[in-house]
Amino acid sequence: IPNLLRSRLQSNEAAAIGNLKTLVGAQTAFAAANGGYTDTWADLNDAEPPFLDIELGAGVVQGYTYDLNAAGVPTPEGFNTNFTCLAEPGDATTGVRVFWVDAGGVIRLDGEDGTVI
């Protein structure tokens, strides 16, 4: 059983990293089309066609919750020059590492040392 739980935990963490990579791609496409990054999931999911094909802002996704925030300065179009997204595990059985990403696209572990994945 411990090996099974560890495998599930590692799978959830790998999925969180993959979801953050997908988000960076969606935000990059959104910024190219709109002149800046968004801090709302609806802007990414409800566009035609949608920039993001997974609903990361709807609670827990594969054991992780995602918090999208504005960063940088507002653009004339009303968007932002940067964004951040924090991926946190729902509890200790779904993951133990917290990840974050910004417009630079480098996924990092949350912590004082800012370790790069």
Side-chain angles (χ1 to χ4, degrees):
I1 296 292
N3 287 337
L4 178 62
L5 294 175
R6 186 172 335 186
S7 176
R8 184 176 76 172
L9 185 139
Q10 290 172 342
S11 175
N12 288 343
E13 289 181 348
I17 292 168
N19 289 340
L20 289 176
K21 289 179 182 179
T22 300
L23 174 64
V24 169
Q27 282 278 34
T28 301
F30 183 90
N34 296 290
Y37 300 102
T38 184
D39 61 349
T40 64
W41 295 110
D43 285 344
L44 297 172
N45 291 108
D46 297 340
E48 279 301 321
F51 292 98
L52 189 62
D53 61 352
I54 52 177
E55 184 61 55
L56 295 179
V60 178
V61 178
Q62 293 173 305
Y64 274 76
T65 57
Y66 297 85
D67 185 24
L68 182 62
N69 295 294
V73 296
T75 65
E77 294 82 5
F79 297 107
N80 305 290
T81 57
N82 198 357
F83 73 93
T84 61
C85 186
L86 185 70
E88 295 182 280
D91 59 47
T93 63
T94 60
V96 293
R97 298 189 297 174
V98 176
F99 304 102
W100 68 276
V101 70
D102 62 8
V106 177
I107 299 172
R108 295 179 168 88
L109 285 173
D110 189 38
E112 294 180 16
D113 63 351
T115 307
V116 176
I117 300 297

